[in-house]
Structures are given as C-alpha cells and as structure tokens.
Amino acid sequence: MERHRTSNPDMKRQNVRTLSLIVCTFTYLLIGAAVFDALESENEINLKNELLQHEKKMIEKFNISEEDFEKIRINVLHSKPYKAGVQWKFSGALYFSLLVVSLIGYGHSTPKTVFGKLFCMGYALAGIPLCMIMFQSVGERLNTFVTYILKNIKKCFRFKKTEVSQTDVLFITLSLSSLILTTGTLLFSELENWSIIDSVYYCFITLTTIGFGDFVAMQKDNILQTRPGYVFFVLLFILVGLTVISAAMNLLVLRCLTLNSEDEKRDEMEAAEAARNAVRLNGDVITGNGGVVSNANETPEYQDTVSVCSCSCYKWRSPNSGKIYNSNPNINHVTSFSVAKEDEMSEETDSFLQWQKAKRASF
Amino acid sequence: MERHRTSNPDMKRQNVRTLSLIVCTFTYLLIGAAVFDALESENEINLKNELLQHEKKMIEKFNISEEDFEKIRINVLHSKPYKAGVQWKFSGALYFSLLVVSLIGYGHSTPKTVFGKLFCMGYALAGIPLCMIMFQSVGERLNTFVTYILKNIKKCFRFKKTEVSQTDVLFITLSLSSLILTTGTLLFSELENWSIIDSVYYCFITLTTIGFGDFVAMQKDNILQTRPGYVFFVLLFILVGLTVISAAMNLLVLRCLTLNSEDEKRDEMEAAEAARNAVRLNGDVITGNGGVVSNANETPEYQDTVSVCSCSCYKWRSPNSGKIYNSNPNINHVTSFSVAKEDEMSEETDSFLQWQKAKRASF
C-alpha cells in the first residue's frame, strides 16, 4: 500500500505530461491547417482554373471526347515514371530499396505487381528496424567521436572544464546537418536545374524522411541508368545526411526519453526507500521469523514500474539485495548492511537530485 | 593510461557492432535491389510498351503534335490533385499537416507557393520532434498500461510469476498493431474500392510512415469536403495506428539502445574499478600529498564515455564519490570507504552481469 501511495502521484505527473503533449500536438495541427489553408487555398483555386481552361482549349482544339480525354489522363498518369527513365533495373531498384528502408518513400515509382507489393511489405518489415538501428548506432558513434574531438580541443586550448556536455555535441551535429543541407541544396539546384527554394525544400523533405516525391532526384533523361556517379552521390547524400540527423535525433530523443526515465528513477528511489523501511522492520522481526518473503516480493514491484525503461539503474532491479538477506540471516550483518545501504541510498538520492538539477540546467 | 587500456577494447567492440550493422544494411539493400529488379523489371517493360502504344494511338487518332501532347501531359500531371477535389481547404490542410508531422508525406498534394514551401519546412522542423515525442510518450504510457493490465491478469489467475517482461508487452502491442492493420485493410478496401492486397499495402505503407502516395485515402469525389465523418476516421486511424506502433517501437528501440548502454555501463564499471585502484594508490600516497588531482580528473573521463547515453547509471557520473575523497583526507576513512565501495562494486558487477545474462536470455 505504502508503495502505491508513493508511486501514484508520479504516475499522474507522467500522464499529465503525455496529455499536455497530445493537446499541444492537436493545437499545432489545427494551427498548421489554418495557415496552410490561408497560404495555399487561393493559389489552388487560381491554378485549378488555369489548368481547366487550358484543358478545355486542348479538348476543343483537337475535338477530343471527354471519355477519350479521361483515357489520355490515365495513360499520362501511369506512364509518368516510365517517361522519367527505367525505374526497376538494378540502380533504380537500389534507389527504391533505400527509399523504403529509410522511410523516405517518394513514391515516384512503386511496385505494380502483387508479388512486388508483398515483397515490399516484407522487405520494409525487416529493413526499417535494421536501418533505424544502423543509423542510431552510427549516429551514437558519431556523437562519441565528436565528444572525443571536442574534449581534445578543450584540452589543447587548456579550458578549465574539459568535460563535454550533450548540448555541445548536439550543437556540432546540428551544424553538420545544416552543412549537409546547404551542400545538397547547391548541388541539386545545379544538377537538377531547380530553384534554390525548390532545392532546399527537396533536401529538407528528403532528410526529414517526409519524402513527398513532388521533387525527386534522377527523374529525367534516364539518369538512373546513364550516370552511375550521380546515382552514387545521391545515395551517399541520403545515407550521410540521415546518419548526421540520426546523431542529432539520438541526443534529442534520448533527452526526451530521459524525462520519463528520470521519473522512473525517482519511482525506484521511493520504492527502494519504502522497501528499505520494510526491510528494517524485517530486521527487527527477523529474530522471530526471517521475513524474507515480503522483501522478495518487492523486486517485481520495481520491475513493472520500469519495464518500459532501459535507462533505469539495474541495481534495484537485481535480486542481489534480496539475496543478501536470504543468505545471511545474521541480524548484525543485516543491521550493518541496512545502515550501509541507508548511507549509500541517501548519498545516491542526493547525487541523483544534483545530477537531475544539472541536467535540467543544461537544457 | 590505465583507463585507456580498459576502455579501448569496449570502444572497439561497439565500433565492430556498428560496422557489422552497416555491412548488414548494405547487403540488405543490394539483396532488395536484386529482388525488386527481378520482380518488377519485366512488368515495367510490358507496361511501358503498352502505355506508349496507347499514347501513339491517341496521338494519331486526334493528330496531336508532340509539342501539344507534352503540354497536355504537363497539364494532366499538374491537375491530378485538383481533379481529386479541393486539397487546401481546412480539412485537406489538416490532413496535410498530419501527413507532414507524422513523416508519412504521401505527396498527393504539396504546397505550390514559395511561402507555402517555406512554412512547410518551418512547420516540419518544430512539428516532427513534437509529434515524435508525443507518440513516444503515449506509446510509453500504453506500454505501462498494458504491463499493469497483464500483471493484474496474472495475479487474478494466480500465476507463480506476476512480473511482466518487455517481451510480453511487445507481444501485446504488436498484436494490437496487426489488429489495427487488419481493421484498416477491411474498411479501406470497402470505402475506397481497393483490392485487399492494395488495401493492406496502403495501410502498411501508411503506418510505417513510408507513405508512397500511390494509394491515398480520400482522393476522389471531393471526399475531403463532403464527408467529414470519413476524414475524422482516416485521421483517427493514422493517429491510433502510429501510437500503437510507437509503443512497439518504444520497446524495440529501447531494447537496441540498451545494447549500447550495457556497454556504456560496463565501461563505467571498469573505469570506476580503475579509479578505485587509483584512489587506493592515492590512499597510500595521501600522507605525503593528498593526490586528489588525479582523482578529480577521473570524473570527466567517465562522463564523456557516457555523454550520449541517458541510460547509464548517474551514480558514477555524479561527482559525489570524488567529493568524498576530497572532503576526507583521513586515510582510515578512505580505506574503510574504498573497502565498502569494493564490496558494493563487486556485488554490483555481479548483479549487473546477472541482469545482463537475464536480459540476453529474454531476447
């Protein structure tokens, strides 16, 4: 019961955070809808009228029946990818595979056969986690490398503090991301004859993995087959870009996961403290009966409060603390141990709170 | 120097893991390319010829010049979204906003104005992390809820083990995901007149956020404006689907992050042990000179090995352990403390290894 009373308020706090995130997202969506409506609606109407007038002209000029024009429409829409070049020979298929597993999914060319669609789903099912883990892993390595370099630079210039904060690393990775974005923008605007706005828009939509597919590289003059060097550059741009962004995401996502894991840690602290009190009681009663059962029962309790969090300290989760009581029914040992635990625990609680404050400050 | 010797092999191990992930991903991409080539290439050639023949027929039938047909082509391609209905009035803009922040990005309709494109980028920049954190947060809550329910069920049926493993929760969330996928498939194949294959393909491509946009819901008969109920259902399907998948991802990604964080923890263990030896040395020398400096230098060393990992135990990161040595140059205290630490450390190392084994076993 004690445990429940301590953990409930924290559960509430985490639910409140989640609820406020939901409210924020919905508000953000409504604001976005309003702004996009304001920005695009008028242009949409004008463009639509323009296109319809032009269509009418063509229909009249060539005296095409509505039925036939619909046939032409369908034909044009279906043949769009094939007009751009061969899409499914090896280099094109490799481009498509990368677009699937990286979640970009332009959709400039998609499988048309049933087996193609089925394989695409199976391929994505295994490929997406693999790709995600790969990018996260490389991103994490990149962060470690950046940290190492930064630390050595700080040492070289004899800084007082040689330790490197997550913020420093995040700053570097975000700078790298914008460098890649800029390079891509300039190169694609040159190679694809896009305006700078369209080019930066393409790079941004690609590297965020939104991948609208309104602008797609290598979709003219059969480039996929004729210019392997360019194909290599585009694949490299996507891979390097996504790696650097993953490095930033690795820090950002971990930072946000930390908020929950901090709560989990506090839950454990409280649960552990509650458990310690319980153990003390056992310590007094142990002469009568080594009340180990109640102590053994504690462990799962922490486990299911932290089950979704890999960040929480394994120590309280480990049955060791329990084992010690089991293996040593010696009261002196229990008392001395529980006292040692008490010091260490309060010391830890302090250090945890300090660390938490420091973390909050560094935000 | 000692420290470097202990941490290097682990660094190597983590690099080897990352390298093998890169090799796996590239192999996977090459295999994918080969299979897609085999599955789609032939169909592509046939379809292309078919479409070209049909195009030729139409051109001859209506005696359209190549130049004019190109004009018709461009007109048809541009007017595709407008033929489907009004795209940028509120409900359409809301649909688009969700597709941007959720990274689905069908691209069935994209901003055409410069301000639209610029706002889209800015909107995504803030919206993607917000949406990501929201889904992660709700997913994490869902996991906690599932854990709570499972535990109570196990208690109801008087299971010997009432603790709920990540695998149990993962199983439930994955089952929920497939339930949503199936429901979506049946409903969309009914509402959009798609074949079951196309419908499951659409749901899969949407909920994985690949979002090709070859199949897009609400792209006929101006549904976005005429059927608000259907619009609500589609938005709900996307939101609920992505939440449940995020819950599964929350577990999967954390599991994979755990692999690195386990290494980080081991690094810390070794670093801490190395530090402990260093401290002992100081303990002996301390009568001559309180060799605190070398001890003070240790702390940052651990910090930058764990700087990208929020999962590692804050305890070694906190300067407390350092502080104690600083504040107490009393050799007896140092010795007694270091002994206490030694017991606790080795005990922790055991518990950590046990926990690690248990974790590996549960995979």
Side-chain angles (χ1 to χ4, degrees):
Chain A
M1 290 306 290
E2 166 71 358
R3 231 172 299 108
H4 285 289
R5 238 178 283 117
T6 56
S7 65
N8 272 353
D10 303 318
M11 289 299 290
K12 277 210 192 70
R13 187 180 305 164
Q14 290 161 53
N15 291 336
V16 166
R17 180 189 295 135
T18 308
L19 274 173
S20 47
L21 272 168
I22 293 170
V23 171
C24 284
T25 311
F26 275 89
T27 320
Y28 195 77
L29 285 174
L30 292 174
I31 293 166
V35 176
F36 278 119
D37 185 344
L39 286 172
E40 292 289 327
S41 268
E42 201 181 333
N43 177 73
E44 179 185 22
I45 295 160
N46 301 338
L47 200 61
K48 189 177 181 176
N49 294 337
E50 216 174 87
L51 288 162
L52 285 177
Q53 276 174 13
H54 182 262
E55 184 185 303
K56 224 175 190 176
K57 265 188 202 163
M58 286 292 171
I59 289 175
E60 282 166 3
K61 183 178 176 184
F62 300 103
N63 186 27
I64 307 171
S65 71
E66 261 195 19
E67 200 182 298
D68 282 331
F69 191 80
E70 191 54 31
K71 280 182 189 168
I72 294 175
R73 260 193 83 241
I74 291 161
N75 180 294
V76 167
L77 291 175
H78 283 132
S79 55
K80 187 191 174 190
Y82 312 122
K83 289 276 178 183
V86 179
Q87 300 286 357
W88 291 106
K89 276 267 154 268
F90 192 78
S91 55
L94 185 65
Y95 188 34
F96 178 79
S97 306
L98 178 61
L99 294 175
V100 168
V101 294
S102 65
L103 297 177
I104 295 171
Y106 292 133
H108 64 287
S109 160
T110 53
K112 296 283 176 286
T113 66
V114 171
F115 287 117
K117 285 170 183 172
L118 290 174
F119 177 74
C120 182
M121 287 189 269
Y123 189 73
L125 206 61
I128 291 166
L130 172 65
C131 195
M132 217 176 248
I133 297 161
M134 188 274 282
F135 279 126
Q136 276 295 315
S137 187
V138 179
E140 188 268 340
R141 289 291 86 199
L142 180 65
N143 288 332
T144 316
F145 181 68
V146 168
T147 315
Y148 176 77
I149 296 291
L150 275 180
K151 202 172 138 288
N152 284 352
I153 289 169
K154 283 188 173 184
K155 270 184 180 170
C156 278
F157 290 97
R158 291 206 167 63
F159 276 73
K160 273 185 179 178
K161 271 191 176 181
T162 57
E163 56 187 85
V164 179
S165 73
Q166 279 198 13
T167 323
D168 303 337
V169 183
L170 189 62
F171 175 77
I172 298 291
T173 42
L174 288 178
S175 314
L176 271 173
S177 313
S178 32
L179 180 72
I180 287 165
L181 194 76
T182 320
T183 320
T185 303
L186 296 174
L187 281 165
F188 282 114
S189 91
E190 187 61 37
L191 292 160
E192 297 281 342
N193 297 324
W194 289 332
S195 73
I196 288 292
I197 291 288
D198 289 347
S199 191
V200 71
Y201 170 77
Y202 163 77
C203 292
F204 185 91
I205 296 298
T206 300
L207 294 184
T208 49
T209 76
I210 296 172
F212 286 135
D214 50 352
F215 293 89
V216 180
M218 310 189 287
Q219 287 300 295
K220 55 179 188 178
D221 318 330
N222 199 16
I223 284 174
L224 277 163
Q225 302 306 313
T226 53
R227 290 173 61 184
Y230 187 28
V231 175
F232 178 77
F233 160 71
V234 173
L235 298 183
L236 194 74
F237 168 76
I238 292 173
L239 286 166
V240 172
L242 289 181
T243 304
V244 175
I245 283 168
S246 295
M249 280 294 141
N250 182 287
L251 291 172
L252 281 170
V253 171
L254 280 179
R255 276 188 165 206
C256 302
L257 284 178
T258 317
L259 289 173
N260 269 351
S261 63
E262 275 173 17
D263 285 345
E264 302 291 357
K265 276 173 186 162
R266 200 187 45 256
D267 290 353
E268 286 169 78
M269 283 291 172
E270 285 173 4
E273 224 141 343
R276 186 157 49 96
N277 300 337
V279 170
R280 270 259 205 54
L281 190 67
N282 298 343
D284 304 336
V285 182
I286 209 160
T287 45
N289 66 327
V292 172
V293 185
S294 72
N295 179 20
N297 284 351
E298 302 294 347
T299 330
E301 287 294 347
Y302 323 142
Q303 264 171 339
D304 49 54
T305 56
V306 299
S307 62
V308 293
C309 173
S310 75
C311 314
S312 53
C313 175
Y314 48 85
K315 191 175 152 199
W316 306 122
R317 220 185 291 183
S318 74
N320 253 27
S321 51
K323 267 204 191 117
I324 282 147
Y325 300 121
N326 298 347
S327 56
N328 302 293
N330 177 328
I331 297 159
N332 296 332
H333 184 103
V334 170
T335 329
S336 69
F337 186 88
S338 64
V339 167
K341 268 248 173 289
E342 184 173 17
D343 299 347
E344 177 214 300
M345 186 101 52
S346 54
E347 173 199 311
E348 269 202 3
T349 325
D350 298 347
S351 73
F352 171 64
L353 291 170
Q354 282 176 14
W355 169 75
Q356 208 173 22
K357 271 182 204 148
K359 213 153 185 338
R360 289 248 160 79
S362 84
F363 266 56
Chain B
M1 291 307 290
E2 164 71 357
R3 233 171 302 108
H4 285 290
R5 237 178 283 120
T6 56
S7 65
N8 271 354
D10 304 316
M11 288 299 291
K12 277 210 191 71
R13 188 181 304 163
Q14 289 162 55
N15 291 336
V16 165
R17 180 189 294 135
T18 309
L19 273 173
S20 47
L21 273 167
I22 292 170
V23 171
C24 284
T25 311
F26 275 89
T27 319
Y28 195 77
L29 285 174
L30 292 174
I31 292 167
V35 176
F36 278 119
D37 185 343
L39 285 171
E40 291 291 326
S41 269
E42 202 180 331
N43 177 73
E44 179 184 20
I45 295 160
N46 301 338
L47 200 61
K48 188 177 182 176
N49 294 337
E50 216 174 87
L51 289 162
L52 285 176
Q53 276 174 15
H54 182 262
E55 184 184 306
K56 224 175 190 175
K57 265 189 202 161
M58 286 293 172
I59 290 174
E60 282 166 2
K61 184 177 176 185
F62 299 103
N63 186 28
I64 308 170
S65 71
E66 262 196 18
E67 199 181 300
D68 282 331
F69 192 80
E70 192 53 30
K71 281 181 188 167
I72 293 175
R73 260 193 83 241
I74 292 162
N75 180 295
V76 167
L77 292 175
H78 283 132
S79 56
K80 187 191 174 189
Y82 312 123
K83 289 276 177 183
V86 181
Q87 299 287 355
W88 291 106
K89 276 266 154 267
F90 192 78
S91 54
L94 185 65
Y95 188 34
F96 178 80
S97 305
L98 178 61
L99 295 175
V100 168
V101 294
S102 64
L103 296 177
I104 295 171
Y106 292 133
H108 64 287
S109 161
T110 52
K112 296 283 176 285
T113 66
V114 172
F115 287 117
K117 285 171 183 172
L118 290 174
F119 177 73
C120 182
M121 287 189 268
Y123 189 72
L125 206 60
I128 291 166
L130 172 65
C131 195
M132 217 177 248
I133 296 161
M134 189 273 281
F135 278 126
Q136 277 295 315
S137 188
V138 179
E140 188 268 342
R141 290 292 86 200
L142 180 66
N143 287 332
T144 316
F145 181 68
V146 168
T147 314
Y148 175 77
I149 296 290
L150 275 181
K151 201 170 139 291
N152 284 351
I153 289 169
K154 283 188 173 184
K155 270 183 180 171
C156 278
F157 290 97
R158 291 204 167 61
F159 276 72
K160 273 187 179 174
K161 271 191 176 182
T162 57
E163 58 187 84
V164 179
S165 72
Q166 279 198 11
T167 323
D168 303 337
V169 184
L170 190 62
F171 175 77
I172 299 290
T173 42
L174 288 178
S175 315
L176 271 173
S177 313
S178 32
L179 180 72
I180 287 165
L181 195 75
T182 320
T183 320
T185 302
L186 297 173
L187 282 165
F188 282 114
S189 92
E190 189 60 38
L191 293 161
E192 297 280 341
N193 297 324
W194 290 331
S195 73
I196 288 292
I197 290 290
D198 288 349
S199 192
V200 71
Y201 170 77
Y202 163 76
C203 293
F204 185 91
I205 296 298
T206 300
L207 294 184
T208 49
T209 76
I210 296 170
F212 285 135
D214 50 351
F215 293 89
V216 181
M218 308 188 289
Q219 286 302 293
K220 55 179 187 180
D221 317 330
N222 199 15
I223 285 175
L224 276 162
Q225 301 307 314
T226 54
R227 290 172 62 185
Y230 187 28
V231 175
F232 178 78
F233 160 71
V234 173
L235 298 183
L236 195 75
F237 168 76
I238 292 174
L239 285 166
V240 172
L242 290 181
T243 304
V244 174
I245 283 168
S246 294
M249 279 294 141
N250 181 286
L251 290 171
L252 280 170
V253 170
L254 279 178
R255 277 191 165 203
C256 303
L257 283 179
T258 318
L259 289 175
N260 268 352
S261 63
E262 277 172 15
D263 285 346
E264 302 289 358
K265 276 171 185 164
R266 201 188 43 257
D267 289 354
E268 287 167 75
M269 283 291 171
E270 285 176 5
E273 223 143 342
R276 185 159 47 94
N277 300 338
V279 171
R280 273 262 200 52
L281 191 68
N282 298 342
D284 304 337
V285 185
I286 209 161
T287 43
N289 66 327
V292 172
V293 186
S294 71
N295 178 20
N297 286 348
E298 303 292 348
T299 329
E301 284 296 347
Y302 322 144
Q303 266 172 339
D304 51 50
T305 57
V306 299
S307 61
V308 292
C309 172
S310 76
C311 313
S312 50
C313 175
Y314 48 83
K315 189 176 156 201
W316 306 122
R317 219 185 291 183
S318 73
N320 254 26
S321 51
K323 266 198 194 128
I324 282 146
Y325 301 122
N326 296 350
S327 58
N328 301 291
N330 177 328
I331 296 161
N332 297 332
H333 184 104
V334 169
T335 330
S336 68
F337 186 88
S338 66
V339 168
K341 268 252 174 287
E342 183 172 20
D343 299 346
E344 174 217 302
M345 187 99 54
S346 54
E347 172 200 312
E348 269 205 3
T349 323
D350 297 347
S351 72
F352 170 63
L353 290 171
Q354 282 176 15
W355 169 74
Q356 208 172 25
K357 271 183 205 146
K359 212 154 186 338
R360 289 248 159 79
S362 84
F363 264 55

